[in-house]
């Protein structure tokens, strides 16, 4: 499906980003990665805060010959930020260029715009890296990629300020406007905090079956396993750790993993 293809293209573009030349001479901590026993395959990249790295400059990683199929599978930074803010990213692109016909170039631009808007990245470096990657994807699109990103860097504040007020919250927070309107009606005091919370770090979130457990029961379980409620949205609780997964209540199904956005969306549609 289209969503999965988008994710795969974004992941492939990230891997290209990750393997481009950056800070020569910096040794990469061994805790950042996992190699095969012979040291020739990168099995897993563990540092989720990495946005770029120079494997060839590292005496150990320079010997890697194969990037494992799922080496960057759990790397959430660029991919998550791009996907979670896709409405806003696409709006910025749509206000800058009319049509992006090359699918891989579109994904490359999406990642680059997400870095410009949401990450503490050097904009000049983002444009340079995108230009280099575009040469691999389609060398005839390099000028287009550079011009598009330069235009967004130059005009981003103007584009954001020009968003119609009745659509701004949905676009800037990357939610469908109908969903924003529904949240605003049902949770007038909390809807903005709820929308913004989902875009931040992902936490384990659960909901308990109120027919099997009371709130006091739930709080007692959390106390026993040394878990805290960081925040809640309606009946969904975001926890400080994953200890709940080892409890009998979770194994019985009395407590289930539940994301607030999907729960509230289904509840409001019901």
């Amino acid at each position: 499906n289209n969503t999965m293809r988008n994710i795969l293209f974004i992941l492939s573009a990230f891997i290209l980003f990750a393997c481009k030349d950056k800070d020569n001479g910096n040794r990469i901590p061994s805790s950042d990665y996992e190699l095969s026993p012979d040291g020739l395959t990168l099995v897993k990249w563990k540092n989720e805060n990495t946005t770029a790295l120079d494997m060839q400059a590292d005496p150990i990683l320079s010997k890697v010959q194969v990037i494992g199929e799922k080496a960057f599978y759990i790397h959430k930074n660029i991919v998550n930020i791009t996907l979670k803010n896709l409405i806003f990213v696409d709006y910025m692109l749509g206000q800058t260029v009319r049509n992006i016909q090359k699918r891989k170039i579109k994904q490359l631009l999406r990642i680059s715009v997400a870095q410009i808007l949401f990450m503490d990245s050097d904009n000049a470096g983002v444009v340079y890296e995108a230009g280099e990657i575009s040469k691999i994807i389609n060398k005839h699109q390099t000028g287009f990629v550079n011009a598009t990103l330069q235009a967004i860097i130059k005009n981003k504040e103007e584009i954001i300020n020009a968003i119609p007020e009745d659509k701004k919250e949905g676009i800037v927070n990357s939610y469908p406007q109908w969903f924003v309107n529904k949240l605003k009606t049902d949770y007038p005091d909390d809807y903005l905090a709820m929308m913004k919370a989902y875009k931040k770090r992902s936490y384990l979130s659960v909901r308990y079956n109120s027919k099997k457990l009371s709130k006091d029961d739930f709080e007692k379980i959390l106390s026993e396993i040394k878990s805290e409620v960081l925040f809640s949205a309606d009946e969904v609780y975001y926890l400080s750790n994953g200890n709940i997964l080892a409890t009998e209540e979770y194994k019985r199904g009395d407590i289930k993993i539940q994301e607030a956005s999907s729960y509230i969306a289904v509840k409001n549609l019901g």
Side-chain angles (χ1 to χ4, degrees):
N1 69 32
N2 288 334
T3 300
M4 182 56 65
R5 281 201 298 268
N6 285 348
I7 292 172
L8 290 175
F9 277 132
I10 289 173
L11 278 168
S12 64
F14 163 72
I15 291 171
L16 283 169
F17 259 109
C19 296
K20 289 299 293 180
D21 240 344
K22 288 296 273 186
D23 303 316
N24 288 332
N26 290 340
R27 188 181 182 92
I28 300 169
S30 60
S31 58
D32 282 6
Y33 56 83
E34 177 184 334
L35 300 179
S36 59
D38 61 8
L40 300 180
T41 299
L42 177 61
V43 176
K44 182 189 295 184
W45 190 260
K46 298 179 178 179
N47 187 345
E48 295 185 5
N49 295 315
T50 302
T51 58
L53 64 103
D54 178 10
M55 293 177 66
Q56 294 306 311
D58 185 85
I60 296 176
L61 290 180
S62 61
K63 298 175 183 178
V64 168
Q65 298 178 11
V66 178
I67 302 294
E69 183 180 352
K70 294 187 177 182
F72 292 94
Y73 186 75
I74 64 167
H75 192 293
K76 301 176 182 177
N77 211 11
I78 294 177
V79 176
N80 269 0
I81 288 172
T82 302
L83 293 176
K84 284 185 177 181
N85 295 283
L86 201 54
I87 291 176
F88 189 24
V89 167
D90 281 350
Y91 181 84
M92 297 296 288
L93 284 169
Q95 295 298 303
T96 305
V97 294
R98 273 191 185 176
N99 190 23
I100 306 172
Q101 296 185 351
K102 304 296 183 181
R103 191 167 52 181
K104 290 184 179 181
I105 292 297
K106 184 175 184 177
Q107 306 313 330
L108 173 60
L109 285 170
R110 281 172 160 174
I111 279 184
S112 302
V113 172
Q115 284 190 286
I116 291 167
L117 295 175
F118 300 105
M119 299 182 71
D120 186 20
S121 302
D122 172 42
N123 288 343
V126 172
V127 175
Y128 172 78
E129 296 286 5
E132 292 298 295
I133 292 171
S134 70
K135 293 175 184 177
I136 299 172
I137 298 172
N138 186 332
K139 64 181 181 180
H140 302 295
Q141 295 288 310
T142 300
F144 170 71
V145 168
N146 286 339
T148 300
L149 295 179
Q150 293 286 6
I152 287 177
I153 291 169
K154 179 182 178 182
N155 302 318
K156 62 179 180 179
E157 295 301 329
E158 182 180 340
I159 294 172
I160 293 170
N161 291 335
I163 300 174
E165 285 301 320
D166 61 335
K167 298 180 179 179
K168 199 163 198 171
E169 290 174 341
I171 291 171
V172 171
N173 293 291
S174 285
Y175 289 97
Q177 191 58 46
W178 68 266
F179 185 63
V180 175
N181 293 341
K182 185 66 175 172
L183 281 182
K184 195 171 184 178
T185 299
D186 293 349
Y187 308 96
D189 297 326
D190 303 320
Y191 78 99
L192 270 177
M194 291 165 67
M195 290 193 297
K196 291 177 180 178
Y198 181 60
K199 303 299 179 182
K200 295 179 181 179
R201 174 183 167 187
S202 296
Y203 297 92
L204 176 67
S205 52
V206 300
R207 182 169 64 93
Y208 64 85
N209 185 340
S210 58
K211 294 181 179 179
K212 300 289 184 68
L213 299 172
S214 67
K215 188 173 182 180
D216 287 341
D217 292 333
F218 181 62
E219 291 177 348
K220 182 180 179 182
I221 293 167
L222 295 183
S223 176
E224 290 173 350
I225 63 174
K226 295 181 171 55
S227 287
E228 297 179 5
V229 174
L230 299 176
F231 56 92
S232 62
D234 204 79
E235 298 175 15
V236 176
Y237 298 86
Y238 288 78
L239 306 181
S240 58
N241 56 47
N243 294 347
I244 198 81
L245 302 180
T247 65
E248 290 300 319
E249 289 80 7
Y250 173 77
K251 294 174 183 177
R252 286 200 306 262
D254 296 345
I255 297 173
K256 294 184 178 181
I257 294 174
Q258 176 75 64
E259 176 52 57
S261 59
S262 59
Y263 171 70
I264 293 171
V266 171
K267 183 178 178 181
N268 285 337
L269 287 172

